[in-house]
Amino acid sequence: MSHLVAVLAGDGIGPEVTHEAVSVLQAVRPDLRFEEALIGGAAIDSVGEPLPAATLDLCRKASAVLLGAVGGPKWDKLEPVTLRPEVGALLPLRRELNLYANIRPAQTMTPLLHASPLKEERSKCDLIVVRELTGGIYFGQPRGRQNEGATALDTCIYHKHEVERIARRAFEIALTRRSVLVSVDKANVLETSRLWRETVDVVAQDYPQVSLSHMLVDNCAMQLIRDPGQFDVILTENMFGDILSDEASMITGSLGLLPSASLSDAKEGSVFGLYEPVHGSAPDIAGQDKANPIAAILSAAMMLDLSFSDQSGAAKIRNAVEEVLSEGIRTGDIYEEGSRLVGTKEMGRLIQSKL
């Protein structure tokens, strides 16, 4: 059976890294079909809106979505704010596709121990941040400006069912790993966090095999630096997860290494998801063959693993990445003295050659 993958390359380095990810997927799974569509600033320039209806329609009929990156200085000051790529494309895309579970793994690769800002022993980590993606302060209403712009308002809202479904997803993931889950909140201050903690405690009763603890977000930020190896699965709400997952990603050495998946519920027997590198559009190096495609390529591996139940194909991609890095091949963001510096295309080609 042929599966359709929607490819939303987007802006900045998005088209460059996405091209390499698609090439790797084609090498491993020639049965996949790919169809491209506009999103973000590229869509604004072409059709005047960041998320065209045709793009949304393609995503709805696809088995999975591969996203590059959106945004850049060119569109940062567009008015109204809903025209800007991040607000007008990413947030409604998540909402319309019901992509409520953001899965961000952060794993230290042996060849890149020196790339971590932490000392070698402390840099070792293998964790997953499970972030609620469609609720919280990014989506709460009312929001905006009052008093002729002198007052700004954002509203954080969570409903019990939103917390429950993301918690169950995190517990299920923990069961496939070391069965240790840390739920992160700010329950000493925020009412939404108190609801979060109460609900997670209730869901935990259905997973007695998983060890659950709670941690305040400021403490978690410190603990990630002090001892990232203590974490297995981190469950948290939208904004906290956004910040903590970026912090965790830098422990591994570079944002250019980290993949992510944004998942909905099962669609025709498989998990529907959008897969994208954690990094942004990096307009300062766009079009210069400098971007690291590994995060996009590993996002493609997550797609095989989670949406197509192809653990073998996913493992082949991950092993190919590790092999290339073990040979001392680096893009500029992870370059170290004595290694071989390559560009985006060459890194992609070398990874493909290992397949």
Side-chain angles (χ1 to χ4, degrees), residues 50-282:
L51 183 61
T55 298
L56 201 51
D57 289 343
L58 172 63
C59 292
R60 285 180 172 139
K61 71 179 183 180
S63 298
V65 180
L66 182 64
L67 175 67
V70 301
K74 180 179 179 181
W75 309 282
D76 279 351
K77 296 184 179 180
L78 288 178
E79 294 292 344
V81 69
T82 51
L83 272 179
R84 298 174 192 175
E86 294 85 349
V87 178
L90 289 185
L91 296 186
L93 188 66
R94 293 166 182 169
R95 183 178 60 247
E96 293 297 324
L97 299 179
N98 192 32
L99 300 170
Y100 65 86
N102 186 227
I103 315 299
R104 288 189 172 187
Q107 183 177 25
T108 307
M109 295 184 183
T110 302
L112 294 175
L113 280 174
H114 293 290
S116 172
L118 303 184
K119 292 179 180 178
E120 281 193 22
E121 285 307 308
R122 286 202 300 122
S123 71
K124 293 179 181 177
C125 69
D126 180 6
L127 62 88
I128 290 182
V129 177
V130 180
R131 166 192 171 196
E132 200 289 323
L133 200 58
T134 57
I137 201 165
Y138 292 168
F139 288 91
Q141 297 293 336
R143 65 191 304 159
R145 294 293 184 95
Q146 300 173 348
N147 299 330
E148 298 180 345
T151 303
L153 174 68
D154 292 294
T155 305
C156 185
I157 298 176
Y158 265 110
H159 302 284
K160 183 178 179 181
H161 76 274
E162 293 175 314
V163 183
E164 183 175 331
R165 67 180 180 178
I166 191 66
R168 290 196 181 279
R169 183 75 68 134
F171 277 103
E172 293 290 340
I173 290 172
L175 284 175
T176 68
R177 292 171 54 87
R178 303 191 298 275
S179 294
V180 178
L181 190 150
V182 176
S183 178
V184 174
D185 57 41
K186 192 65 176 170
N188 58 335
V189 176
L190 301 177
E191 196 62 43
T192 48
S193 282
R194 286 188 277 274
L195 171 66
W196 182 281
R197 187 172 291 206
E198 293 164 8
T199 306
V200 171
D201 279 336
V202 172
V203 173
Q205 295 173 19
D206 294 335
Y207 298 90
Q209 312 96 311
V210 177
S211 171
L212 168 68
S213 61
H214 298 279
M215 187 176 289
L216 297 177
V217 63
D218 40 358
N219 185 28
C220 183
M222 292 186 290
Q223 294 295 331
L224 274 170
I225 300 301
R226 188 187 71 83
D227 179 18
Q230 70 182 280
F231 295 102
D232 181 21
V233 177
I234 296 174
L235 164 67
T236 192
E237 59 99 69
N238 205 340
M239 185 169 69
F240 296 162
D242 195 1
I243 297 166
L244 292 175
S245 58
D246 278 2
E247 181 187 2
S249 72
M250 285 310 299
I251 293 170
T252 68
S254 172
L255 274 174
L257 299 171
L258 272 294
S260 75
S262 300
L263 306 178
S264 182
D265 296 314
K267 178 181 178 181
E268 298 178 356
S270 62
V271 176
F272 178 75
L274 179 149
Y275 301 86
E276 61 179 314
V278 169
H279 63 68
S281 62

Side-chain angles (χ1 to χ4, degrees), residues 326-348:
S326 295
E327 293 174 1
I329 297 162
R330 304 284 188 269
T331 46
D333 57 312
I334 52 174
Y335 179 77
E336 54 191 350
E337 188 174 350
S339 60
R340 176 186 162 196
L341 180 64
V342 299
T344 311
K345 294 176 183 177
E346 181 66 0
M347 179 63 86

Side-chain angles (χ1 to χ4, degrees), residues 295-352:
I297 289 169
L298 292 177
S299 296
M302 290 187 77
M303 177 190 295
L304 293 185
D305 200 352
L306 298 174
S307 283
F308 300 133
S309 299
D310 183 1
Q311 287 74 37
S312 174
K316 287 177 182 176
I317 293 174
R318 294 183 183 117
N319 290 340
V321 168
E322 190 104 10
E323 277 188 60
V324 169
L325 292 175
S326 295
E327 293 174 1
I329 297 162
R330 304 284 188 269
T331 46
D333 57 312
I334 52 174
Y335 179 77
E336 54 191 350
E337 188 174 350
S339 60
R340 176 186 162 196
L341 180 64
V342 299
T344 311
K345 294 176 183 177
E346 181 66 0
M347 179 63 86
R349 187 192 69 78
L350 289 168
I351 291 170
Q352 291 171 53

